[in-house]
Coordinates of all heavy atoms in Angstrom, one line a residue:
K265 N 75.4 103.9 84.2 CA 74.2 103.5 85.0 C 74.1 104.1 86.4 O 73.1 104.5 86.9 CB 74.0 102.0 85.0 CG 73.6 101.4 83.7 CD 73.6 99.9 83.7 CE 73.1 99.3 82.4 NZ 71.7 99.6 82.1
G322 N 71.2 95.4 77.0 CA 72.7 95.1 76.8 C 73.0 94.0 75.9 O 74.0 94.1 75.1
A363 N 77.0 89.1 77.0 CA 76.7 88.4 78.3 C 77.0 89.2 79.5 O 76.2 89.2 80.5 CB 77.5 87.0 78.3
L364 N 78.2 89.9 79.5 CA 78.5 90.7 80.7 C 77.5 91.9 80.8 O 77.1 92.2 81.9 CB 79.9 91.2 80.5 CG 81.0 90.2 80.6 CD1 82.4 90.8 80.2 CD2 81.1 89.7 82.1
W365 N 77.2 92.6 79.7 CA 76.3 93.7 79.8 C 74.9 93.2 80.2 O 74.2 93.9 81.0 CB 76.2 94.4 78.4 CG 75.6 95.8 78.4 CD1 74.7 96.3 79.4 CD2 75.8 96.8 77.4 NE1 74.4 97.6 79.0 CE2 75.0 97.9 77.8 CE3 76.5 96.8 76.3 CZ2 75.0 99.1 77.1 CZ3 76.5 98.0 75.5 CH2 75.7 99.1 75.9
A366 N 74.5 92.1 79.7 CA 73.2 91.5 80.2 C 73.2 91.2 81.7 O 72.2 91.4 82.4 CB 72.9 90.2 79.4
A367 N 74.3 90.8 82.2 CA 74.5 90.5 83.6 C 74.4 91.8 84.4 O 73.7 91.9 85.5 CB 75.8 89.8 83.9
V368 N 75.0 92.9 83.9 CA 74.8 94.2 84.5 C 73.4 94.7 84.6 O 72.9 95.2 85.6 CB 75.7 95.2 83.8 CG1 75.4 96.7 84.3 CG2 77.2 94.9 84.0
D369 N 72.7 94.5 83.5 CA 71.3 94.8 83.4 C 70.5 94.0 84.4 O 69.6 94.6 85.1 CB 70.7 94.6 82.0 CG 71.2 95.6 81.0 OD1 71.8 96.6 81.4 OD2 71.0 95.4 79.8
A370 N 70.8 92.7 84.5 CA 70.0 91.9 85.5 C 70.3 92.4 86.9 O 69.4 92.4 87.8 CB 70.4 90.4 85.3
L371 N 71.6 92.7 87.2 CA 72.0 93.2 88.5 C 71.3 94.5 88.8 O 70.8 94.7 90.0 CB 73.5 93.4 88.6 CG 74.1 93.8 89.9 CD1 73.8 92.7 91.0 CD2 75.6 94.0 89.8
E372 N 71.1 95.3 87.8 CA 70.4 96.6 88.0 C 69.0 96.4 88.5 O 68.4 97.3 89.3 CB 70.5 97.4 86.7 CG 69.9 98.8 86.8 CD 69.9 99.6 85.5 OE1 70.0 98.9 84.5 OE2 69.9 100.8 85.5
R373 N 68.4 95.4 88.1 CA 67.0 95.1 88.4 C 66.8 94.3 89.7 O 65.7 94.0 90.2 CB 66.3 94.3 87.3 CG 66.2 95.1 86.0 CD 65.3 94.4 85.0 NE 65.9 93.1 84.6 CZ 66.7 92.9 83.5 NH1 67.1 93.9 82.8 NH2 67.2 91.7 83.3
S374 N 67.9 93.8 90.3 CA 67.9 92.9 91.4 C 67.8 93.6 92.7 O 68.1 94.8 92.8 CB 69.1 92.0 91.4 OG 70.3 92.7 91.7
S375 N 67.5 92.8 93.8 CA 67.5 93.4 95.1 C 68.9 93.7 95.6 O 69.1 94.5 96.5 CB 66.8 92.4 96.1 OG 67.5 91.1 96.1
L376 N 69.9 93.1 95.0 CA 71.3 93.4 95.4 C 71.6 94.8 95.2 O 72.2 95.5 96.1 CB 72.3 92.5 94.6 CG 72.3 91.0 95.0 CD1 73.2 90.3 94.1 CD2 72.8 90.8 96.5
L377 N 71.2 95.4 94.1 CA 71.5 96.8 93.8 C 70.7 97.7 94.8 O 71.2 98.7 95.2 CB 71.2 97.1 92.4 CG 71.6 98.5 91.9 CD1 73.1 98.7 92.1 CD2 71.2 98.8 90.5

Side-chain angles (χ1 to χ4, degrees):
K265 289 177 176 290
L364 290 169
W365 196 338
V368 170
D369 288 348
L371 183 62
E372 185 181 22
R373 299 188 295 267
S374 71
S375 59
L376 287 175
L377 188 61

